[in-house]
Amino acid sequence: MLTRRATAHHVTAELDEGPITAQEVIGVDHAHTPEDLVAVGRDVESAALVKAVRWHCEGRVVVHGRRTVVLQ
């Protein structure tokens, strides 16, 4: 099985180079159509972003240099 992974990063001048706040992974396989893969990609990206924003709003995210700590 293959996976589709998405990450939510803190914003920096370089795209996708900031500290990672959240990651999500969804499994995909040969039975997925191109349209399914688009939908899965959209879902996994949304899930990672929602998680990162919620944690940030709850004050649980600490950025230290290029690393992120998420408090439980």
Side-chain angles (χ1 to χ4, degrees), residues 12-67:
T12 64
E14 289 80 35
L15 181 63
D16 290 339
E17 291 298 322
I20 295 172
T21 303
Q23 290 186 315
E24 286 290 324
V25 177
I26 295 178
V28 296
D29 62 30
H30 69 281
H32 285 87
T33 66
E35 293 79 16
D36 294 336
L37 294 173
V38 169
V40 166
R42 190 178 313 116
D43 292 347
V44 74
E45 293 279 348
S46 296
L49 181 59
V50 166
K51 185 185 287 185
V53 170
R54 182 181 45 214
W55 289 345
H56 179 78
C57 291
E58 293 171 351
R60 297 172 48 193
V61 178
V62 178
V63 178
H64 182 67
R66 295 189 45 80
R67 298 193 184 269

